[in-house]
Amino acid sequence: MRLLHTSDWHLGQHFMGKSRQAEHQALIVWLLEQVAEHGVDAVLIAGDIFDTGTPPSYARELYSQLVVRLHEAGVALLLLGGNHDSPATLGESRELLARLGTTVIAATHADPATQVVVLAQRDGMPGCIVAAVPFVRPRDVLHSQAGQSAEDKQLSLQQAIQQHYVTVDAAARAKMAELGVTLPVVATGHLTTVGASASESVREIYVGALEAFPTAAFPPADYIALGHIHRPQKVGGLEHIRYCGSPLALGFDEAKQQKEMLLVDLDADGLQAVTPLPVPRFQGLVAIAGTLADLPAQIGAAAAQGTPARPTWLEVTVAEDDYLADLPARIEQMTEGWPVEVLRIRRQRGNAAARLEAAASETLDELDPHEVFARRLQQEELDAELQQALLERYRSVVASLHGDTEGEGA
């Protein structure tokens, strides 16, 4: 059985005023080429298929295109809901997509058997059995109790999620016994685990309730396919517990990462191999930093990744000269004639007035709420630890509100 593990596509992402549609279109073409070249039996997307609970129409079209093209290739597709996804949006076409070889697990269910998926090989024979756990919303597995401390709530949520894994894993093994065959067991998840390394574009989903799920709390699966963290990595150095990471850089802090998908080979004896497939960069995305004297050379190097039709997107951080009032105009003059487009200018230091002036050329449409809050926070005279704590608390509140809003239509 050959499985292609990917996650965090964020279809419909609006990045500082820029659409990622062309990149996602190119990504689908590339994925289909890999599926054909490597003889992939099934594709698994471990959450955050869409960037928001109400994706734009072009994102839905890309989603449908992926489903149809994989069906035509005879390849099964398993889609899991993430914290960015709306269970209602994903679930609305579940029965229709089932006719096209696609299984959608939008949210956790009371009956664990509904989260057990048998993925077939191209010849139609069962290839593996999946304990398909999507993003677990606390309200789906836990009832709040009055008087609980923060530590008690964190422990209760961890235990509830762990128990959910136990019940789904048991249902998967019961299904295997019913089939009368020995199959490799794959578990999934969309959450932060202990030791995982995140990036700025990852929305913290359990801060204040569950910071990270312990590796030992996962079921004894042959392979555990995780989503939510955008940086590809093994968890705890374990070969069989993996984040594949996002296929596109979703923030400037991810610009230097080599994005990848994971080719997972399994048989009745368990995991045989995990092979990273490097994803090409479809859009130049570069963060540069330095004094005004340093920047021209860096801009020239970044321009080598772009073309007039598709210029490189730049984040420019100015050091030492960051006090200058006409900084945006100077940067614009430096980049004139080069196939680059500056999406954000940052001042490395300076007073609040200078930082506000640097952002004057931006509109709120170009910023997400986290960036707005972070910039406002930088204007306060606070130590770094307190700033970080306030930023994490803000992310926690926004994430919980986002989850509640999405759940109302479920």
Side-chain angles (χ1 to χ4, degrees):
M1 175 70 178
R2 178 160 280 184
L3 186 70
L4 186 62
H5 170 202
T6 181
S7 73
D8 295 271
W9 280 43
H10 290 267
L11 293 171
Q13 188 200 35
H14 199 64
F15 182 70
M16 298 185 184
K18 297 296 180 182
S19 168
R20 315 300 297 270
Q21 182 176 1
E23 293 171 85
H24 279 122
Q25 182 67 71
L27 179 65
I28 289 173
V29 172
W30 177 84
L31 178 140
L32 291 166
E33 290 172 350
Q34 304 310 303
V35 163
E37 179 181 344
H38 297 285
V40 171
D41 295 299
V43 174
L44 185 159
I45 304 183
D48 283 355
I49 293 110
F50 293 111
D51 191 57
T52 70
T54 55
S57 59
Y58 75 81
R60 293 173 183 256
E61 289 175 9
L62 289 169
Y63 173 73
S64 298
Q65 181 186 131
L66 176 64
V67 169
V68 171
R69 295 291 297 278
L70 286 175
H71 174 65
E72 292 172 345
V75 175
L77 175 60
L78 174 57
L79 300 169
L80 299 164
N83 59 299
H84 280 249
D85 296 309
S86 162
T89 299
L90 282 186
E92 65 188 7
S93 57
R94 182 176 59 249
E95 293 186 13
L96 176 62
L97 297 190
R99 300 284 184 174
L100 297 173
T102 295
T103 303
V104 179
I105 306 294
T108 55
H109 301 152
D111 179 3
T114 62
Q115 289 179 232
V116 175
V117 180
V118 179
L119 289 179
Q121 301 174 82
R122 290 197 185 207
D123 61 7
M125 297 298 292
C128 70
I129 193 160
V130 185
V133 179
F135 171 59
V136 180
R137 288 173 168 78
R139 64 177 175 274
D140 293 338
V141 296
L142 185 66
H143 296 290
S144 297
Q145 298 180 26
Q148 279 189 314
S149 66
E151 291 77 11
D152 290 337
K153 289 180 180 178
Q154 178 173 324
L155 181 59
S156 295
L157 181 56
Q158 176 187 311
Q159 291 173 339
I161 294 176
Q162 183 174 357
Q163 184 57 43
H164 185 71
Y165 270 105
V166 168
T167 57
V168 177
D169 178 69
R173 295 179 190 279
K175 180 65 174 179
M176 193 193 311
E178 178 187 322
L179 294 173
V181 294
T182 300
L183 297 173
V185 177
V186 175
T188 68
H190 189 89
L191 73 179
T192 303
T193 57
V194 174
S197 177
S199 55
E200 288 179 0
S201 58
V202 173
R203 176 182 298 158
E204 295 300 332
I205 53 179
Y206 288 130
V207 172
L210 178 65
E211 294 179 354
F213 190 70
T215 306
F218 285 116
D222 296 298
Y223 182 75
I224 301 178
L226 300 176
H228 179 59
I229 301 298
H230 296 169
R231 185 190 306 274
Q233 57 198 281
K234 299 176 186 177
V235 177
L238 298 171
E239 190 73 17
H240 75 294
I241 307 180
R242 299 273 195 141
Y243 285 103
C244 56
S246 60
L248 302 183
L250 299 170
F252 279 107
D253 64 318
E254 298 178 25
K256 293 183 179 180
Q257 292 177 18
Q258 174 57 65
K259 296 300 187 177
E260 61 189 42
M261 295 184 188
L262 299 176
L263 204 60
V264 183
D265 289 314
L266 301 141
D267 63 19
D269 295 325
L271 179 65
Q272 298 304 306
V274 179
T275 307
L277 297 180
V279 179
R281 180 167 294 187
F282 305 109
Q283 167 66 56
L285 191 71
V286 178
I288 62 175
T291 65
L292 290 179
D294 299 328
L295 293 179
Q298 295 185 55
I299 291 170
Q305 298 185 29
T307 65
R310 186 171 291 182
T312 300
W313 294 343
L314 284 184
E315 176 190 69
V316 181
T317 301
V318 181
E320 296 183 19
D321 306 303
D322 56 357
Y323 62 89
L324 294 170
D326 62 343
L327 201 54
R330 290 179 182 237
I331 300 299
E332 182 179 357
Q333 186 175 17
M334 284 184 192
T335 58
E336 188 174 355
W338 290 103
V340 299
E341 187 172 358
V342 179
L343 302 192
R344 180 162 68 184
I345 298 173
R346 307 177 74 170
R347 298 172 188 256
Q348 193 173 70
R349 57 179 173 78
N351 58 33
R355 285 195 293 270
L356 286 172
E357 190 164 353
S361 63
E362 294 177 312
T363 68
L364 286 177
D365 288 339
E366 297 171 341
L367 304 173
D368 64 33
H370 298 288
E371 290 176 309
V372 173
F373 184 81
R375 293 188 183 195
R376 177 63 183 86
L377 199 59
Q378 288 172 2
Q379 297 171 28
E380 299 296 326
E381 298 296 329
L382 303 173
D383 61 60
E385 280 190 20
L386 181 54
Q387 282 208 17
Q388 185 61 31
L390 288 171
L391 188 58
E392 289 182 356
R393 179 57 182 159
Y394 172 78
R395 287 173 173 167
S396 170
V397 171
V398 171
S400 64
L401 291 174
H402 180 81
D404 289 342
T405 301
E406 289 182 348
E408 288 173 3

